[in-house]
């Protein structure tokens, strides 16, 4: 039986990683943080504690990666490889590519390091409160060992299968979420041209069968308010949809609506340019309709 994990290396303290690493410190773990942005790790340590060595993975019993894509994960793990402790577990929490993660897991197994994937859903708000939904893949024994860490960050932890299964599930979740967002925005555009008040439409959808996560948590908050600041990037959504289609291709599954959804989101990203929040995709739908979702006066 391996010892309880107490030392964690956390790599990627961005919008999600920062509050997740903070939750681990609050739960009593010793956390070393690392980020590519100069000064970010030191800033984190100053506010929340922990340490900020050059290689956070060095000597850690568990290494958490929360990076934009599998590309950065591969780069970081290659750079950390020499300092990885035998018997350590890498918990890949980014929304990455299942096939890339499987390749990394095979490579790490060769040096006595186990990898599991544990991507998350719930956004920055639920990362802050430790109420993320976490979907996992990998060997049962390793998942059992890291379970207390995951419970410091999330409330719903679902084992989905072998390594990569959590990430496949995550990409498919975002496919459903992305399609729901765009079709809800199109409904608001049609409705406002007809003369319906979009805010009233959202209320009716939420009391009816059209309700989805976007009607509940995005349309009023980030689209009708014109704030477009949910904290989840448009580029990351396109990446997730590309992964969903990759899984579709690998399993030879025809999915025309999924393909159309990915193309629309990719077109939105191309039109709007870099650095956009994913909820700004509503502006793309507005551009196609040559109009704006407008609230009714009076
Ligand atoms: P982010 O861009 O805010 O954070 C990523 C962090 O990784 C940044 O701080 C960046 O500097 C750092 N980084 C990049 N390359 C690095 C490297 N080589 N070495 C060290 N650090 C490096 O992204 P995020 O929104 O926190 O998302 C992270 C992952 O979580 C993504 O896979 C995303 O799809 C997923 N996710 C995001 C949300 C959300 O609401 N933001 C929700 C669920 C899942």
């Amino acid at each position: 039986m391996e010892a309880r994990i107490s030392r964690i290396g956390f790599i990627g303290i961005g919008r999600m990683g920062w509050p997740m690493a903070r939750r681990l410190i609050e739960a009593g773990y010793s956390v070393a943080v690392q980020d590519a942005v100069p000064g970010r790790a030191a800033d984190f340590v100053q506010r929340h504690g922990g340490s900020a060595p050059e290689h956070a993975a060095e000597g850690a019993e568990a290494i958490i990666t929360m990076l934009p894509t599998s590309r950065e994960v591969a780069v970081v793990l290659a750079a950390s490889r020499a300092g990885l402790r035998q018997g350590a577990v890498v918990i890949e929490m980014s929304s990455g590519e299942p096939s890339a993660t499987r390749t990394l897991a095979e490579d790490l197994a060769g040096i006595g390091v186990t990898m599991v994937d544990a991507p998350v859903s719930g956004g920055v708000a639920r990362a802050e409160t430790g109420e993320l939904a976490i979907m996992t893949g990998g060997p049962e024994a390793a998942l059992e060992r890291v379970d207390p860490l995951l419970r410091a960050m999330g409330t719903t932890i679902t084992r989905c299968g072998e390594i990569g299964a959590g990430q496949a599930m995550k990409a498919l979740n975002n496919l459903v979420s992305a399609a729901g967002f765009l079709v809800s925005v199109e409904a608001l555009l049609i409705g406002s041209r007809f003369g319906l008040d979009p805010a009233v439409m959202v209320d009716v959808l939420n009391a009816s069968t059209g309700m989805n996560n976007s009607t509940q948590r995005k349309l009023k908050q980030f689209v009708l308010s014109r704030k477009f600041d949910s904290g989840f990037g448009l580029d990351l959504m396109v990446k997730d949809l590309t992964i969903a289609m990759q899984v579709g291709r690998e399993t030879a599954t025809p999915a025309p609506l999924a393909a159309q959804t990915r193309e629309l989101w990719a077109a939105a990203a191309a039109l709007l340019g870099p650095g956009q929040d994913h909820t700004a995709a509503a502006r793309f739908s507005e551009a196609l309709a040559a109009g704006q979702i407008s609230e009714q006066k009076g």
Side-chain angles (χ1 to χ4, degrees):
M1 183 71 189
E2 276 146 331
R4 185 184 168 274
I5 291 168
S6 62
R7 286 182 63 189
I8 301 172
F10 200 116
I11 308 176
I13 45 166
R15 273 166 287 202
M16 293 294 286
W18 184 293
M20 289 162 66
R22 178 179 56 73
R23 296 276 319 170
L24 290 167
I25 287 178
E26 286 167 3
Y29 290 99
S30 160
V31 181
V33 293
Q34 178 183 328
D35 196 278
V37 173
R40 192 164 170 87
D43 191 18
F44 177 95
V45 172
Q46 199 177 20
R47 292 196 208 185
H48 308 299
S51 61
E54 191 182 345
H55 294 291
E58 204 165 295
E61 291 141 358
I63 299 98
I64 295 179
T65 44
M66 192 55 177
L67 295 160
T69 73
S70 291
R71 235 182 352 265
E72 290 84 12
V73 176
V75 167
V76 160
L77 290 179
S80 309
R81 206 171 192 277
L84 291 180
R85 174 181 175 144
Q86 184 147 17
V89 186
V90 172
I91 312 171
E92 158 54 337
M93 299 193 77
S94 330
S95 307
E97 295 165 41
S99 54
T101 301
R102 284 184 179 158
T103 304
L104 288 172
E106 274 169 27
D107 175 56
L108 290 173
I111 55 165
V113 172
T114 308
M115 188 171 193
V116 298
D117 60 309
V120 308
S121 183
V124 175
R126 282 166 61 187
E128 295 280 358
T129 57
E131 293 176 301
L132 290 167
I134 304 180
M135 42 219 107
T136 66
E140 287 289 321
L143 288 172
E144 202 58 52
R145 196 166 168 232
V146 302
D147 192 65
L149 279 69
L150 300 182
R151 294 202 180 273
M153 298 178 278
T155 41
T156 310
I157 295 151
T158 310
R159 292 193 191 171
C160 297
E162 301 294 313
I163 181 80
Q167 290 181 330
M169 182 62 240
K170 167 66 189 174
L172 295 172
N173 173 74
N174 278 22
L175 168 62
V176 174
S177 172
F181 178 85
L182 276 195
V183 80
S184 303
V185 167
E186 287 185 4
L188 294 195
L189 274 163
I190 297 169
S192 34
R193 283 228 177 125
F194 180 82
L196 297 172
D197 184 331
V200 172
M201 284 187 75
V202 174
D203 290 340
V204 175
L205 288 167
N206 282 334
S208 312
T209 52
M211 174 183 66
N212 60 55
N213 180 263
S214 294
T215 64
Q216 289 184 312
R217 297 182 187 206
K218 296 184 185 176
L219 294 180
K220 280 194 181 177
Q221 295 85 339
F222 307 117
V223 177
L224 296 189
S225 70
R226 313 303 290 176
K227 287 187 181 156
F228 304 116
D229 63 351
S230 77
F232 179 48
L234 177 52
D235 54 340
L236 293 178
M237 181 64 104
V238 175
K239 176 256 311 177
D240 289 342
L241 296 170
T242 305
I243 295 170
M245 290 311 296
Q246 188 181 324
V247 175
R249 272 196 308 279
E250 286 166 3
T251 52
T253 313
L257 185 56
Q260 176 85 318
T261 302
R262 196 216 84 95
E263 288 307 306
L264 286 167
W265 280 87
L271 183 88
L272 297 168
Q276 297 285 334
D277 190 79
H278 82 287
T279 55
R283 287 190 167 135
F284 168 75
S285 301
E286 290 179 335
L288 289 182
Q292 186 172 318
I293 300 166
S294 49
E295 304 225 27
Q296 308 296 304
K297 302 272 180 292

